[in-house]
Amino acid sequence: MSKVNLRELLNKMTTKQKIAQLEQLAARYFTKNKTDITGPLRDLGLTEDELKIIGTNLGIGSVEDMIDVQNRHLDEDPNHIPMIFMSDIIHGFRTIYPIPLALGCSFDDQLVYECSRMAAREASVGGLQATFTPMVDCIRDARWGRVMESCGEDPYLNGIMGQAQVKGFQGDDISNPGNIAACVKHFAGYSAGEAGRDYNMAELSEHSLRQVHFPAYKACVDAGVKMVMPSFNVLNGVPSVANKWLVNGVLRNEWGFDGIVISDWDAVYELTQHGVAADLKEAALLAFENGCNIEMMSFSYISHLEELINEGKISVDRLDEYVMKVLEFKEELGLFDDPYHGASSEDSKKLFLCSEHREISRRAARESAVLLKNDNILPLDRKLKSIALIGPFANSDDINGAWSCAGRRNECVTVKEGIRNLLPEVDIKYAKGCESYLNDRNISGFEQAIVTAKSADAVILCLGEPSDYSGEERSRTELTLPGMQLELARAVIDANPNTAVVLFGGRPLELVELDSIAPAILHMWFPGTEGGNAVSELLFGVYSPCGKLSVSFPKKVGQCPIYYNYTNTGRPKSRYIDCDKFPQYFFGYGLSYNKFTYNSMILSSHTIDKNSSIKVSVEVTNEGCMSGKETVQLYLRDLVSSASRPVQELISFKKVNFEKGETKTVEFEITEPMLRFWNADNEFVSERGEFEISVGYADHMKFTEKFSLI
Ligand code: BGC
């Protein structure tokens, strides 16, 4: 622990200096060739002197910049208080791993933990001490552009993966270099914006918030996450950062969260846009009173808190409490002892993209891939003489993904390179065919694609959505494969039916037609740095795909929001005139090159009470021809209770490796707390009665048994 006496430090700070600790400013304003004070800095309403005392920094570009900025800051800040450098690490720092939606499909929280550890190590030498991850917004509407940042639609899976990320980034002690603080976001209901439009208002009942949306945030709070970011959206009439029930009530009082609440980018200013604050001053008051400790890029605090204190609207004690929280956070990060937290240009060169990190990323890419269809086309024979590699993603580093922090696209292994790495001898014939953008309807590349397809033993057709179709303000009203890609698929498959489609992208797409024409579809999402290597290892059967969908794929966009854990209507057959109610591919679905046979499910008892448990033993055999992994998924249904319960809810899962021919018994334990739900009075209770327990997924349950809570 540092020798700095934080109380003494606080006592000698001026009010302005204190308030500046609660501000977060983008890195570009600090770097050497920083924007002139007459430029954007002036527009932010900041003076040169204020710049010197700002508490935290967002999105620094390099370790060299971080060291330089911290050095200058320590010189110029009259109190020499180190800044915290924070940034978004969505799927890797420099070594990029698959997007979170893909990681959800791995059903492997240990792997997600390892990915986060690796990112934390790289980020720490790379100059960061905190990150705005994990994002655990519950995904139910693929139109939204940010679905790729979350681990999917299931509250339980999302919570487990969120916890793995928190533990991975933070380690045991955030003062140690190699560990960085995590921030769970976006609290709450950001994913439920009306009509899938980014930033849009969400109307969610308390029941649905507690039952569906809150559990993953709560899981991260329970795992000790250091920061929470309220969401941009209006939730039930009040924007989250000013939403007292949400932040002060649920987060602080009910869950006992005592860490830092940081606003999203400019969200405090946006209170004026939402029409809940007349001006920036009122916005400052609302956010501050609601427990927002740091505001990101709004500067309402530095512009107005002093005035609000002088007017007696905010107490000095409350200000001191917030500032102390930030100072304590800096101390906890060890910054008073080592303001660089292990940042080192030299070490970063050794660590970034090292073989150990590449291996983790590659494994994650393999484990996250989902085999959606396979009419005995895959795996491809490694002795093939020629391969036609076709499509806009066949030789593209866009597969690196959408939001890759310090990652560089040109460091990503493309599919073409991955195949070449695995099969140095094979004749690769490449044709792009077409582009992957909505308005690009140019088909002049089709002819060459057809000729190429005809000339090869097999075709690998790489299609998808470009990475910049995912992310903020990237909502869509259609979920089609953009541009002429479906037409390209028709032409290529027609020319050579021995075609495997490999898909890339950050959201579920409508794949009904592609599924009807393609003999095989392997979904890789955005797999990151080692993407191309992972693709070839899967296509050519070095490994069997083992991912299971973390999110439902609608048949038609009009089915959105769609999810597996719905409650029945009074008329369970309810459907659309032009479509049934089911997705094209369900949550939990994913094929393998193996055949896993579920032999039996045995319950140790058919009754349970508050003090007992039921052991569920599921016997599974790998009847396939290679070793491989299967995720055994356990679902619950509460048959009759005071609130209508979902037809299925994932309550546990285990991903298990099976050798060829191997039989294993996979065991689960059911306890009474797993049977609890939020009742009509918003109490978390279990109710006596009958339950169903099933193993399998969605409409493919292998066994279902009943038991009673007595
Ligand atoms: C996003 C957050 C992100 C922040 C900082 C915002 O626009 O909504 O998810 O953490 O920017 O980059």
Side-chain angles (χ1 to χ4, degrees), residues 58 88 132 146 185-186 229 232 264-265 296 403 472:
L58 166 63
D88 296 282
F132 305 117
R146 302 191 73 171
K185 66 189 187 186
H186 308 85
M229 183 189 290
F232 280 128
D264 204 343
W265 181 293
M296 181 192 288
W403 195 347
E472 251 186 278

Side-chain angles (χ1 to χ4, degrees), residues 206-212 214-215 218 254-255 642-645 675-687:
E206 183 169 345
H207 176 78
S208 125
L209 280 167
R210 290 192 181 279
Q211 191 69 48
V212 177
F214 283 170
K218 168 80 162 47
E254 212 180 297
W255 298 353
S642 59
S644 183
R645 306 289 304 122
L675 311 179
R676 294 183 193 171
F677 69 101
W678 291 92
N679 70 11
D681 299 321
N682 288 315
E683 299 155 338
F684 195 51
V685 296
S686 60
E687 290 176 358

Side-chain angles (χ1 to χ4, degrees), residues 110-132:
Q110 175 61 28
L111 176 66
V112 172
Y113 170 82
E114 284 176 52
C115 285
S116 310
R117 291 277 333 117
M118 144 171 107
R121 282 194 294 271
E122 291 192 359
S124 177
V125 294
L128 297 182
Q129 302 91 46
T131 183
F132 305 117

Side-chain angles (χ1 to χ4, degrees), residues 546-566:
C546 59
K548 306 280 185 189
L549 289 179
S550 60
V551 71
S552 304
F553 276 51
K555 290 193 173 101
K556 291 191 174 187
V557 67
Q559 291 176 310
C560 291
I562 188 166
Y563 41 91
Y564 82 96
N565 46 355
Y566 60 88

Side-chain angles (χ1 to χ4, degrees), residues 114-154:
E114 284 176 52
C115 285
S116 310
R117 291 277 333 117
M118 144 171 107
R121 282 194 294 271
E122 291 192 359
S124 177
V125 294
L128 297 182
Q129 302 91 46
T131 183
F132 305 117
T133 295
M135 189 275 225
V136 297
D137 301 336
C138 177
I139 301 309
R140 292 184 150 192
D141 194 332
R143 290 172 295 179
W144 192 41
R146 302 191 73 171
V147 301
M148 70 106 186
E149 292 173 56
S150 160
C151 286
E153 76 185 35
D154 185 64

